[in-house]
Amino acid sequence: GLILTMMAMQFSYADSLPKLGYLTMLDIYILSSFCLLSFAACIITLLPAESLLDSRMSLVFFTVCLAFNAIWAAVGFKE
């Protein structure tokens, strides 16, 4: 569901922003988020359910997402 939402968001904002010949910070954020979610989907698909529950992967994923967004917020406010 989240990957589909990200793709829809990318297409919706692409129509309202001017076309540029380079990647903007928003483009890089969306691309990075898509890669992070794709990586998480691969991990969930490849690992057995028992392994995911035993290793507390949801806590790890939450922490990675929180750190990812905190770093992007810091970079965004710095610019």
Side-chain angles (χ1 to χ4, degrees), residues 15-54:
D15 293 337
S16 61
L17 295 176
K19 306 283 188 250
L20 300 173
Y22 55 90
L23 292 175
T24 63
M25 201 167 164
L26 180 60
D27 294 326
I28 295 170
Y29 177 78
I30 297 292
L31 183 63
S32 301
S33 297
F34 183 75
C35 290
L36 181 66
L37 287 175
S38 297
F39 178 72
C42 289
I43 293 293
I44 290 169
T45 303
L46 295 175
L47 291 178
E50 298 83 25
S51 175
L52 292 173
L53 292 174
D54 292 343

Side-chain angles (χ1 to χ4, degrees), residues 52-73:
L52 292 173
L53 292 174
D54 292 343
S55 63
R56 301 177 197 259
M57 289 299 279
S58 59
L59 180 62
V60 171
F61 183 68
F62 173 75
T63 305
V64 168
C65 287
L66 189 64
F68 173 79
N69 287 306
I71 290 169
W72 274 101

